[in-house]
Amino acid sequence: MIEADPPVTDGGAKQEQAVTIPVDDRPIRIEKPETVAVVKVEDYTPAAVKQGLQRLLELLDPTFMKQSLEGKTVFLKVNGLTVKPLACTNNIVVEELGKLLRDNGCKKVLVGDSNFNKALTSITLKGMGIAAVAERLGNPVVNFFEHGWTPVSHVSFLADSFVSIPEPVAKADIVINLPKMKTHAGYVFTGAIKNFFGLNAHKNRMHAIHKNKVDFQQMLGDIHQAALASAPGSETKPVLHVMDGIVGMEGKKGPAGGTARAFKVLIGSFSPVAVDTVAYTLMGGDPADLEAIQSLGKRNGWPSTIDQLRVVGDDWKPLVQRASLPPLSTLRSGEQGEASAGGFMMWATQVVIRVNRRRCKGCLTCVKHCPAQALSKKGNKIVLDSSKCISCFACGESCPNDALVPRIRLTELLERILFVSLIVAAIVIVIVLLATLPYT
Ligand code: SF4
Ligand code: SF4
């Protein structure tokens, strides 16, 4: 038996009760962790999305729709990051999946998420139309901050003795994770594994505790273990992952301010590791570079390279694109970077956050949500204390004006050198011209 931490307030979350909970040592077993389905879908027309989802589920498990859903409560965990359509799971994907589940006997379809706090989550879920989709599927949208949190304890956790996940998710019979295929300025890529960060009650605290990026990515695995271990009885909860990559996001300003990229795919698996491995490969990256994928795969013995996976459905090779990805050096920024800073190049290639003063409206959202208190207002300006920054990019995720920009130090340095050189050159030219002008 272990003692849970005392209750902590974070972003308006309902407080947990301090409880004594037994450590759960049931095995974590998921269906076919080596199987991943890739289905090409051209666009978000409802008929195309419905057909794609039906095909994806058939490919993954032909019995899923026929046998597993009768009388069950299914929770659809969307990506509801901010009021920007590109940053969130597309509503048509959520609605068509919900309708399919209901048509196949599902008793209740719940839809929900949480981002920074209760108010912002509510604004996002309403503003994005996710709340309306949930209503049409028969239930009010679930803002996790308006519900209790269930502590789950399992021997497979690495970082904490327990993880709290939202009560409605813990109580659901089946969970379907609906991540968006996107880049992330702080972690390079965000997909099925990172999308479960929204299931965690203490986002700021988790960022602050796990400043080291390796630790943070491993901690994300704990949230997945908690969701799987939250089934009552001796079973592992069925958790399915369906990624919306029909139009995803690329560029250094993901996951909120990147640019659209049509990957034209839905990717599904019972393994989040398989989904992210395929997605990152299709974006032109190497999944071996991402600790979140590798550590969760290793922990459970789930395949985490494209060669180890059984990819069913459409041929994935022609779907590979060379998306614009944030530099891998971003994974060395923050405490991890400081710890590994072995020389100038290591320092110079780290990613740092800069405020675009023309875009900034001074709303202070970023200041409130920085887990490291690295941002503050000085006069009319938002300023960064880079010695405190852990490069998590929570500020960029929360900024409504895309005013926070990740920059590579070396690029900045070179730009400044170039700028100063141009000014010096201009001054020299003017002096030479003045000196050579004939006196009149
Ligand atoms: S300034 Fe931004 S990137 Fe740095 S710690 Fe704060 S929220 Fe994270
Ligand atoms: S959230 Fe964005 S607009 Fe608001 S103060 Fe921060 S940088 Fe400026």
Side-chain angles (χ1 to χ4, degrees):
M1 303 285 267
I2 54 164
E3 286 293 323
D5 281 356
V8 178
T9 308
D10 189 348
K14 267 196 182 175
Q15 292 189 349
E16 298 146 16
Q17 298 304 311
V19 287
T20 301
I21 41 177
V23 177
D24 183 349
D25 62 354
R26 83 183 87 156
I28 294 282
R29 287 205 194 91
I30 63 168
E31 294 286 318
K32 307 179 199 163
E34 74 295 341
T35 303
V36 55
V38 173
V39 171
K40 197 166 178 223
V41 179
E42 286 295 327
D43 54 41
Y44 287 114
T45 44
V49 171
K50 180 180 177 184
Q51 200 182 29
L53 287 166
Q54 261 172 333
R55 197 169 152 234
L56 188 96
L57 294 170
E58 280 283 317
L59 284 162
L60 275 181
D61 182 357
T63 65
F64 183 74
M65 287 300 205
K66 294 184 185 73
Q67 292 163 14
S68 313
L69 296 172
E70 198 62 46
K72 299 279 170 56
T73 295
V74 180
F75 196 99
L76 304 185
K77 197 288 180 193
V78 297
N79 184 324
L81 176 64
T82 184
V83 190
K84 291 175 188 166
L86 198 54
C88 299
T89 317
N90 186 278
N91 287 345
I92 292 164
V93 173
V94 183
E95 186 152 6
E96 290 304 320
L97 179 60
K99 287 198 287 196
L100 274 176
L101 298 170
R102 261 192 358 201
D103 292 349
N104 282 276
C106 198
K107 183 177 78 180
K108 204 178 202 184
V109 178
L110 295 169
V111 181
D113 194 14
S114 69
N115 51 43
F116 299 95
N117 58 34
K118 190 168 148 184
L120 278 179
T121 301
S122 180
I123 289 168
T124 307
L125 295 176
K126 281 196 189 111
M128 285 311 306
I130 299 167
V133 170
E135 295 275 353
R136 289 199 289 278
L137 292 171
N139 292 285
V141 76
V142 179
N143 175 343
F144 295 150
F145 290 115
E146 292 171 353
H147 297 262
W149 300 80
T150 304
V152 180
S153 173
H154 201 276
V155 288
S156 68
F157 292 172
L158 287 178
D160 282 313
S161 51
F162 80 99
V163 175
S164 292
I165 64 167
E167 244 172 44
V169 174
K171 282 184 183 163
D173 301 303
I174 299 168
V175 176
I176 303 185
N177 180 21
L178 291 167
K180 188 86 175 171
M181 189 166 167
K182 294 190 289 186
T183 49
H184 193 292
Y187 295 92
V188 179
F189 165 78
T190 169
I193 298 173
K194 177 78 167 51
N195 198 43
F196 265 14
F197 191 51
L199 294 188
N200 136 60
H202 308 300
K203 295 175 186 62
N204 272 4
R205 192 177 68 164
M206 287 303 193
H207 271 304
I209 293 173
H210 305 290
K211 290 178 185 160
N212 179 303
K213 292 204 166 177
V214 171
D215 285 357
F216 183 87
Q217 292 177 83
Q218 291 179 354
M219 176 278 297
L220 294 174
D222 277 355
I223 302 174
H224 280 266
Q225 304 297 83
L228 293 164
S230 70
S234 58
E235 298 298 311
T236 302
K237 177 166 292 187
V239 179
L240 175 65
H241 307 268
V242 177
M243 178 177 278
D244 168 16
I246 299 173
V247 177
M249 186 187 280
E250 66 174 346
K252 291 180 195 136
K253 287 170 79 177
T259 47
R261 180 92 183 213
F263 297 107
K264 300 191 175 182
V265 281
L266 291 170
I267 306 168
S269 175
F270 289 97
S271 162
V273 170
V275 168
D276 285 358
T277 297
V278 169
Y280 195 54
T281 303
L282 295 188
M283 293 171 96
D286 181 355
D289 293 329
L290 303 184
E291 179 67 20
I293 295 176
Q294 296 310 316
S295 62
L296 187 56
K298 199 169 164 196
R299 202 186 309 186
N300 292 317
W302 301 338
S304 59
T305 68
I306 195 92
D307 300 335
Q308 294 166 338
L309 290 170
R310 190 173 77 88
V311 186
V312 294
D314 292 319
D315 184 4
W316 60 271
K317 288 188 186 115
L319 301 176
V320 175
Q321 303 195 22
R322 193 172 283 275
S324 160
L325 300 173
L328 285 172
S329 58
T330 195
L331 293 170
R332 294 198 314 272
S333 50
E335 193 177 87
Q336 174 69 7
E338 301 305 324
S340 60
F344 172 75
M345 279 315 289
M346 191 70 87
W347 173 86
T349 56
Q350 281 178 26
V351 174
V352 289
I353 307 298
R354 295 290 176 242
V355 183
N356 181 328
R357 306 216 185 277
R358 271 171 302 166
R359 282 176 171 265
C360 177
K361 303 282 182 271
C363 67
L364 300 184
T365 308
C366 57
V367 176
K368 272 186 240 153
H369 296 294
C370 171
Q373 287 85 48
L375 292 164
S376 58
K377 192 172 184 200
K378 297 248 162 69
N380 288 332
K381 292 179 184 169
I382 301 298
V383 291
L384 172 81
D385 179 346
S386 54
S387 66
K388 288 186 181 170
C389 178
I390 56 172
S391 297
C392 62
F393 207 54
C395 51
E397 291 179 10
S398 68
C399 175
N401 299 307
D402 292 338
L404 291 149
V405 190
R407 303 292 319 268
I408 294 175
R409 274 202 183 113
L410 185 60
T411 314
E412 272 203 333
L413 197 65
L414 292 176
E415 278 173 7
R416 279 181 196 175
I417 291 170
L418 185 65
F419 182 70
V420 172
S421 308
L422 286 174
I423 289 182
V424 170
I427 292 169
V428 169
I429 289 169
V430 170
I431 292 171
V432 170
L433 281 176
L434 287 174
T436 54
L437 275 180
Y439 289 105
T440 54

